[in-house]
Amino acid sequence: MSEYIHLFDTTLRDGAQTLGVDFSYADKVAIAQALDEFGIDYIEGGWPGANPGDTQFFAEPPSFRHAKLVAFGMTRRPGRSVENDPGLASVLDAKAYGACLVGKAWDFHVRDALNTTLEENLAMIESSVAHCARRGFEPHYDAEHFFDGYKSNPDFARQCLRAAFDGGAKWVVLCDTNGGTLPDEVHRIITALARDFDVARMGIHTHNDTENAVANTLTAVRAGVRLVQGTLNGLGERCGNANLISVIPSLMLKMGFSTSVHDLGKLKALSELLSDRLNSEPVAQAAYVGRAAFAHKGGLHGSAVLKDPRTYEHIVPELVGNSREVIMSDQAGRANIISRLTQAGLVVEDAQIPLLLDAMKKRQAQGYSYDGASASFELMVHERLGTRRDFFTVSRFRVIDERRLDRRNEWLTESEATITLQLRGQSVHTVAVGRGPVNALDRALRSALVAQFAQLGDVRLVDYRVRIIHPTLGGIAEGGSGSSAVTRVIIECTDGVETWSTVGVSENIIGASFEALVDAYIWRLVTYAGRSAPAAD
């Protein structure tokens, strides 16, 4: 049986330090639940007490089926007892299984940053870890700047590790905090540690400042550590952290280790979920999961791949949820669309696949993306196959924004939406006021539909994301100018039981938003009526 590597995700803390990233509570819950479903062992939820978002997350944490929730914090401050350190108290007040405490392991930082003695730092580590254990938390110790500390003063760096183990740490993690260590140094230092420590109780935490975070992580595992820390898509401050999306398949497929991940085929979806929550485009060249990871240009490479994929592919793409794409070939994207149909539970005849593939490519050229909008993808399939049932059609809509003074003489902005639609042979006209144009349109649409379809009463919009899509060479849409950008809107709805996402694209943000809204309600009605619904009314 292969050796087991424990996976420790720090996306919700390290990832939140990425330039331009700001997780909402809903983002943190969605990402944490996806990590748990994927099979991650430990999920570090953030630093309770450091900011309102992290504090709320630990006050109302999601429930997990597999993962253990870990709160991050620091060892006690110099001169304080563990019982009287407010930072440590915040960690231990969190609703978490484990506590990961960062502490200095570099003598330079102890003297110049903490302004204390080496002996006091060792006491801080041991007493803090022991306090977490006494309070019922599984204690972890992150040895900050360990590799720099080891190169400066190996004896003291070792003493820091020993203090953590003496305090009862379940895991002691070696941190390359500034990302400047190279793989040969990582291997040499961990090999030296193995003479005095059980390195199988150690973990590795690397940063990517020299583009070596993944290499350093895999090297550390090869040298004996059995826990790896990292983030989804390599998020993190400065140049990022070790990318678990690359580390995990390399551990399992290349190095033969086992992990708690039971379906590696969900890897690409997990990566894209994070991109979707951040409202960012997935990196095409990302290893294993990028759109270009198994894309081959027509010609020598393309023909060689069609004869034997092993020629230019280091793994079978489907193992990580990806698919092969041969550019300028009728095989391009076929596996991708079949995979999407399977995920949606749609049964389509083989002869219809080229029709759907052509439709999907045209929609993508117009700016549509179905990676985070599976409900719209299903509706597009029904439309092309002639099985889409729209239940209603919109004749016209209008939105007016008004800014006025309220009774307290404060400026108030309201939006008023007017919608006319055809429903069961009748023309229905509704007007609604909302906090913004999308909210007003949603209310007006609901007002018209709920009276006829009571099952839509629990549907509510929970997320709204906008991206400006710049045209590719030759223009985005047929007949377009090829110079103006379009707006892509993805909305997420729920009825309290199921959550689904739809997409709309237009040169006008309101038009794109309304298209996504209409799809959201139609998809819900289609699922209630059954996917084999007859043609439109």
Side-chain angles (χ1 to χ4, degrees), residues 16 26 65 110 182 217 223 240 244 252 368 370 393 410 426 465 489 500 534:
R65 290 184 294 177
V110 172
L182 298 178
T217 298
L244 287 182
M252 297 176 67
Y368 288 86
Y370 296 108
T393 58
E410 295 179 351
Q426 296 182 339
R465 298 185 294 281
V489 169
W500 63 98

Side-chain angles (χ1 to χ4, degrees), residues 397-475:
F397 73 89
R398 180 178 63 184
V399 180
I400 300 174
D401 286 338
E402 178 186 18
R403 193 164 186 254
R404 58 181 172 80
L405 290 172
D406 63 13
R407 286 177 294 182
R408 292 176 294 184
N409 204 37
E410 295 179 351
W411 285 106
L412 174 68
T413 301
E414 287 184 332
S415 297
E416 179 183 289
T418 303
I419 297 177
T420 302
L421 51 83
Q422 303 302 312
L423 176 60
R424 292 179 173 172
Q426 296 182 339
S427 179
V428 180
H429 183 81
T430 59
V431 180
V433 175
R435 294 184 300 273
V438 177
N439 180 240
L441 284 167
D442 186 34
R443 288 186 174 185
L445 197 55
R446 283 171 53 85
S447 176
L449 297 177
V450 171
Q452 297 290 331
F453 306 104
Q455 61 266 47
L456 297 179
D458 293 330
V459 175
R460 66 184 188 277
L461 192 156
V462 294
D463 199 11
Y464 176 85
R465 298 185 294 281
V466 179
R467 275 187 62 81
I468 304 300
I469 310 300
H470 293 282
T472 55
L473 186 62

Side-chain angles (χ1 to χ4, degrees), residues 4-10 40-44 68 70 100 138-142 170-175 190 199-206 216-218 220-222 224-230 244 247 251 257:
Y4 186 89
I5 303 299
H6 298 261
L7 304 175
F8 189 118
D9 181 272
T10 69
I40 299 297
D41 296 294
Y42 295 98
I43 298 173
E44 190 177 84
K68 299 172 181 177
V70 177
C100 183
E138 180 178 292
H140 296 219
Y141 167 62
D142 271 13
K170 173 69 178 291
W171 292 100
V172 170
V173 182
L174 312 177
C175 301
I190 295 177
V199 294
R201 293 178 57 194
M202 292 184 179
I204 184 70
H205 176 112
T206 62
N216 283 339
T217 298
L218 299 179
V221 171
R222 187 72 78 188
V225 307
R226 289 298 176 261
L227 177 141
V228 298
Q229 291 188 0
L244 287 182
V247 168
L251 288 172
F257 290 102

Side-chain angles (χ1 to χ4, degrees), residues 283-299:
V283 177
Q285 283 75 29
Y288 290 104
V289 299
R291 182 182 176 187
F294 300 98
H296 309 278
K297 279 272 190 155

Side-chain angles (χ1 to χ4, degrees), residues 156-180:
F156 176 69
R158 287 169 176 265
Q159 290 171 12
C160 291
L161 305 184
R162 180 58 61 197
F165 278 127
D166 290 345
K170 173 69 178 291
W171 292 100
V172 170
V173 182
L174 312 177
C175 301
D176 183 30
T177 309
N178 67 14

